[in-house]
Amino acid sequence: MDICKIHENASKCNMNTMECFMVLSTQVQKISIATLCILFGTLCVFENSLVLYLIYSSPRTRKKPSYLFISSLALADILASIIFVCSFVNFHVFHETNFSKETFLLQLGGVNTTFSASLSSLLLTALDRYISISRPSEYKLLMTRKRAWIALGVLWVTCATIASLPLLGWNCCTLDSTCSELFPFVDGNYLSSWICFVMVLLGCIVYAYAHVLWRAHQHVAYMEKHQTQVGKQNTRIRMDVMLAKTLVMVLTVLVLCWSPILILMIYSIFARLSNHLRKVFAFCSTLCLLNSMVNPIIYALRSKELYSSLRMVFSRFRRQLKASEESPEVESTHKSSMIET
């Protein structure tokens, strides 16, 4: 097992070291990982594709900046699911190593880009709600479609640039530095920097959501104090309270799903990981897929516009299904009447 001493990587940056990262040793572990990835990945692609369809099938929702951010989140989750499941299952289940270092870093960069874009899209969604609830009178002037598209462009370019750094040369093979124990060819300093980037994103999201929740609490108190008042103001307050609860639910799921892998990543920087902890990290990685799968469910249940669009889609599908079932009976009746004639 000397070859698996990742820290002594000066002469071991080759594809043979990949076997050291294949920590799933039993068939049960491989089947479990494959089942979780395929189940979460399939549901994630289906649900987020449905969210994209619901948003862009309605002229009212696709023009709103807030739904542009949700669309970015759904797109990032779809791409993350596809890239993660394919690369993760091939590596840990089928032990596929018949590719170059550049190909592996390209796949890892794709996973990092999409998951980072998912978190960044959540941050933009949180900032959108922050502006909406803190400066409602100026919201339409501050948050325009043009600014939303610019923010999304900066988001994706930034995430792709940061994720591409190992492929561009910031890896332990090129720098002859200490490799990470969790990812092949990844420099330990780069992993620390990426963790800091994710922690900053999470910190900003928590701050924005906490402010939204505080303002929502103020609005609830206002509603209780002025129950007799009706009109646009109360409608606006109810909408903000509902959206605040939705964002808090998203944040809770986000923290629960991302905390285990971030804790293990941070621990790997300061201490050696046992094979058991590396197996735990492999299974905890599937929680990122779970997060991507749960987000669209929360939107469908909490967003009135998406939920009403979903109901319309299902009712239209039921009518089409009912019409297709009735058409053979109509055709049979028509044929029998022709025979009688």
Side-chain angles (χ1 to χ4, degrees):
M1 294 299 292
D2 290 338
I3 193 174
C4 291
K5 292 181 180 180
I6 309 301
H7 287 90
E8 300 174 6
N9 63 290
S11 61
K12 297 172 186 172
C13 279
N14 52 62
M15 298 313 294
N16 292 331
T17 61
M18 299 285 280
E19 298 178 0
C20 303
F21 295 88
M22 299 174 182
V23 295
L24 304 182
S25 55
T26 66
Q27 198 68 17
V28 174
Q29 293 173 354
K30 295 177 182 178
I31 293 175
S32 300
I33 280 286
T35 302
L36 290 175
C37 287
I38 294 173
L39 177 62
F40 291 162
T42 303
L43 290 175
C44 180
V45 171
F46 171 76
E47 292 170 0
N48 284 285
S49 299
L50 181 60
V51 169
L52 286 177
Y53 172 78
L54 293 176
I55 291 175
Y56 286 97
S57 62
S58 172
R60 184 175 58 179
T61 55
R62 67 168 174 257
K63 292 181 180 179
K64 293 184 177 181
S66 57
Y67 284 104
L68 287 179
F69 300 144
I70 295 177
S71 300
S72 174
L73 174 63
L75 178 61
D77 286 338
I78 290 173
L79 295 177
S81 301
I82 295 173
I83 299 173
F84 178 84
V85 170
C86 292
S87 58
F88 198 78
V89 171
N90 280 337
F91 185 81
H92 283 289
V93 177
F94 298 110
H95 288 182
E96 180 65 41
T97 59
N98 190 24
F99 46 79
S100 63
K101 177 190 73 176
E102 289 74 18
T103 303
F104 176 83
L105 291 178
L106 180 62
Q107 292 179 355
L108 184 62
V111 173
N112 287 344
T113 298
T114 50
F115 278 125
S116 299
S118 178
L119 290 177
S120 301
S121 298
L122 275 177
L123 175 59
L124 289 182
T125 304
L127 292 177
D128 175 75
R129 288 298 93 208
Y130 177 90
I131 296 173
S132 173
I133 202 169
S134 61
R135 305 174 71 175
S137 59
E138 304 174 29
Y139 173 77
K140 290 187 177 181
L141 294 176
L142 294 173
M143 189 58 65
T144 61
R145 281 177 55 84
K146 181 179 179 180
R147 290 181 178 178
W149 280 112
I150 292 175
L152 289 175
V154 172
L155 178 159
W156 281 90
V157 170
T158 301
C159 292
T161 301
I162 294 175
S164 302
L165 292 178
L167 184 63
L168 297 177
W170 192 355
N171 58 75
C172 57
C173 301
T174 303
L175 300 177
D176 195 18
S177 56
T178 301
C179 289
S180 167
E181 291 187 337
L182 295 174
F183 306 100
F185 313 125
V186 173
D187 178 70
N189 292 328
Y190 171 79
L191 181 62
S192 302
S193 301
W194 189 82
I195 292 173
C196 292
F197 172 65
V198 173
M199 295 296 290
V200 168
L201 288 178
L202 290 175
C204 293
I205 293 172
V206 170
Y207 174 80
Y209 283 6
H211 184 83
V212 169
L213 184 60
W214 175 67
R215 292 300 296 267
H217 176 72
Q218 288 185 323
H219 285 175
V220 170
Y222 178 87
M223 289 175 63
E224 293 176 351
K225 187 177 180 180
H226 303 83
Q227 287 181 351
T228 58
Q229 294 183 6
V230 293
K232 291 185 177 180
Q233 182 67 17
N234 271 357
T235 303
R236 177 75 183 180
I237 290 172
R238 292 190 187 96
M239 183 184 69
D240 286 339
V241 170
M242 184 186 67
L243 288 174
K245 292 179 180 178
T246 299
L247 295 182
V248 170
M249 291 172 62
V250 173
L251 176 62
T252 303
V253 173
L254 180 72
V255 171
L256 290 177
C257 290
W258 278 87
S259 293
I261 62 170
L262 287 176
I263 290 173
L264 287 173
M265 284 183 184
I266 295 173
Y267 181 78
S268 70
I269 296 174
F270 300 101
R272 294 292 301 271
L273 293 178
S274 63
N275 285 335
H276 175 71
L277 285 179
R278 293 165 69 191
K279 290 178 182 179
V280 171
F281 179 80
F283 278 92
C284 288
S285 299
T286 60
L287 291 176
C288 297
L289 280 179
L290 179 62
N291 176 51
S292 299
M293 183 191 74
V294 171
N295 281 340
I297 297 177
I298 296 175
Y299 297 140
L301 293 177
R302 304 293 299 181
S303 173
K304 284 187 176 181
E305 292 176 313
L306 290 184
Y307 185 69
S308 61
S309 298
L310 182 62
R311 291 184 61 182
M312 289 177 61
V313 169
F314 279 134
S315 61
R316 191 184 312 128
F317 176 75
R318 283 198 300 267
R319 287 197 301 268
Q320 292 177 353
L321 185 63
K322 187 177 180 180
S324 63
E325 291 176 352
E326 291 178 352
S327 58
E329 298 178 2
V330 174
E331 184 178 356
S332 176
T333 305
H334 177 69
K335 285 183 178 181
S336 59
S337 62
M338 288 292 292
I339 293 174
E340 291 177 359
T341 305

